[in-house]
Amino acid sequence: PRSMYMFVLTEVVSPRLKSELSQWQPTKDPLPVHKWVHPWLDILPPHLLEPMFTTVRSKLGQALRQWKAKDKSALILIKPWTNLWKQTGDLWEFLARFILPKLRALATKISVNPKKEDPSLFLAIVAWNDVLPNHALDSMLLNDFFPKWILALKSWLEAPAENDQKKKEKFKEVAKWYKGWKGLFPPALLKHRVVKTHLKRGLELMGAAVSGKSLDPILKTLAGEFQQQKAALREQAALAGEGSAAAASAAAISSRRKAEAKQLRAAAARAAGGAAPGTSFKEALERFAAKVGVEFLPNPKKGYRDGSPVYLFGRCNIYIKGQVIYVHVAAAGGGGAWKPVAIDDLISMAKK
């Protein structure tokens, strides 16, 4: 019967998966987490999956604090979750917080030197093509790669040659260099406007140099296109929650959290009044934690308090008694006390 099926999922499968996730160590466990969580995506209901997704993101985020952007291990762990997190609306926030700052810092270190080429930093960044939003990757290429690439190409084309034969050899080397760089772009990235524009202008620069024409008109056109593309990417970033939108984002997040906290209190009231059979205050809190991106897991080390199990809510230890949440407030000299806490205050404490 379905009731027995749901009981097994809720009381056996879900707790076991949560227990395994609580012990999972992203940097040490040889088996990627998606290998044993994804098979349950079509079986477990969303309200049981959401807290698990929160745990995965939280643990990955903690592990990524020590991550070096050249290391491909993060991409291997995150890529299988990309489509799922897009659907739940969690991907961009995760990337903006843990991935993009380090990739952007790495992009500034890209060097383009035909005499001593090392595309390793470039490759480490474009490898994220299937995960990053187009505007994020295009912005790094526009600001930190293509200006250096165009300058290297211009300098090489304008470098004097001893004679016509040397000039022909130089142009052959330039063409080979151009083809080599183009081949490093993932096929999907070659369709991006920023990439198409610069590769096209690069070809035009090479053609002009072979014909003995000035490179300045092409460079001037490219400078105008650079500003247009930069403005377009800025608009896309704002729509995604970056740039000019950042000033309003804190207020928006605060407002959203207050609304969600209100929904939690309403859910608890319904549970207390029996209007929503099977829905407990703990379950309502669990769903709320998933929405606001806070880890919510049993804390077996703390055991029980006043007959109720102790949970980790972000950085806090809590337990639930009836419709009241109690949080452990540490004292300066050690120890501390359990105190009732409002959900709004708990969120702030959990993310400190």
Side-chain angles (χ1 to χ4, degrees):
R2 180 165 179 77
S3 59
M4 179 62 71
Y5 175 75
M6 291 305 300
F7 176 84
V8 171
L9 292 183
T10 304
E11 302 298 331
V12 180
V13 176
S14 178
R16 176 62 186 275
L17 285 172
K18 288 180 182 178
S19 176
E20 293 296 326
L21 282 172
S22 69
Q23 300 175 54
W24 169 56
Q25 299 183 57
T27 59
K28 295 182 180 180
D29 289 2
L31 185 65
V33 67
H34 73 276
K35 292 286 188 180
W36 47 275
V37 173
H38 282 198
W40 294 97
L41 295 182
D42 296 329
I43 300 174
L44 291 172
H47 75 274
L48 294 179
L49 288 169
E50 286 176 1
M52 297 182 203
F53 298 160
T54 300
T55 300
V56 170
R57 287 192 298 273
S58 177
K59 290 208 166 191
L60 283 176
Q62 292 173 16
L64 287 169
R65 297 185 189 282
Q66 306 300 322
W67 171 63
K68 305 297 182 183
K70 286 183 68 175
D71 183 356
K72 295 181 180 179
S73 61
L75 181 59
I76 294 171
L77 285 171
I78 294 169
K79 194 171 182 177
W81 295 92
T82 302
N83 291 332
L84 181 62
W85 290 353
K86 279 182 181 177
Q87 295 171 15
T88 61
D90 297 304
L91 179 64
W92 171 245
E93 183 180 353
F94 183 88
L95 294 175
R97 185 176 177 187
F98 298 110
I99 301 299
L100 278 173
K102 293 190 176 184
L103 286 181
R104 285 170 173 157
L106 186 69
T108 63
K109 300 176 182 178
I110 291 177
S111 174
V112 181
N113 183 355
K115 294 181 179 179
K116 191 179 180 181
E117 213 70 88
D118 180 10
S120 61
L121 301 187
F122 170 85
L123 291 173
I125 290 169
V126 298
W128 288 84
N129 174 58
D130 293 332
V131 176
L132 295 179
N134 288 353
H135 79 269
L137 184 52
D138 289 349
S139 181
M140 284 186 275
L141 294 174
L142 182 67
N143 293 304
D144 298 306
F145 171 71
F146 276 119
K148 300 170 185 176
W149 187 81
I150 289 292
L151 179 60
L153 177 59
K154 173 182 178 293
S155 300
W156 200 355
L157 291 173
E158 291 181 338
E162 296 178 8
N163 50 52
D164 290 344
Q165 181 61 32
K166 292 289 186 181
K167 184 180 290 187
K168 288 181 181 180
E169 292 175 0
K170 180 183 75 171
F171 289 146
K172 284 183 179 180
E173 290 177 6
V174 171
K176 183 179 179 181
W177 177 83
Y178 173 93
K179 187 177 180 180
W181 270 109
K182 184 178 179 180
L184 295 179
F185 285 88
L189 199 52
L190 290 172
K191 299 176 182 178
H192 289 207
R193 182 186 171 197
V194 166
V195 179
K196 288 172 65 176
T197 296
H198 284 81
L199 291 178
K200 179 183 177 183
R201 297 308 176 201
L203 272 179
E204 292 175 355
L205 288 171
M206 291 161 60
V210 170
S211 302
K213 297 178 182 178
S214 172
L215 307 184
D216 290 343
I218 301 170
L219 293 171
K220 185 176 180 181
T221 299
L222 185 57
E225 292 170 330
F226 176 88
Q227 294 301 328
Q228 292 172 6
Q229 291 177 354
K230 192 170 185 177
L233 290 172
R234 195 180 297 119
E235 289 180 7
Q236 293 174 34
L239 290 173
E242 284 192 291
S244 59
S249 72
I253 290 172
S254 175
S255 176
R256 186 177 73 245
R257 285 181 178 165
K258 287 180 180 178
E260 289 170 340
K262 185 177 180 180
Q263 292 174 6
L264 172 63
R265 289 190 290 269
R270 288 196 301 271
T279 301
S280 68
F281 183 64
K282 181 256 181 183
E283 289 172 334
L285 180 61
E286 194 171 41
R287 296 179 192 182
F288 178 66
K291 285 184 178 180
V292 298
V294 173
E295 189 176 51
F296 183 43
L297 296 169
N299 188 354
K301 292 182 179 179
K302 295 293 183 180
Y304 285 76
R305 180 74 185 179
D306 199 14
S308 299
V310 176
Y311 298 93
L312 274 173
F313 190 88
R315 296 177 178 272
C316 302
N317 283 299
I318 67 167
Y319 72 91
I320 302 166
K321 198 71 175 176
Q323 309 303 317
V324 181
I325 303 172
Y326 291 83
V327 63
H328 186 263
V329 181
W338 293 90
K339 297 182 179 180
V341 62
I343 185 63
D344 311 75
D345 297 330
L346 179 60
I347 296 168
S348 299
M349 295 169 68
K351 294 204 170 189
K352 278 184 179 179

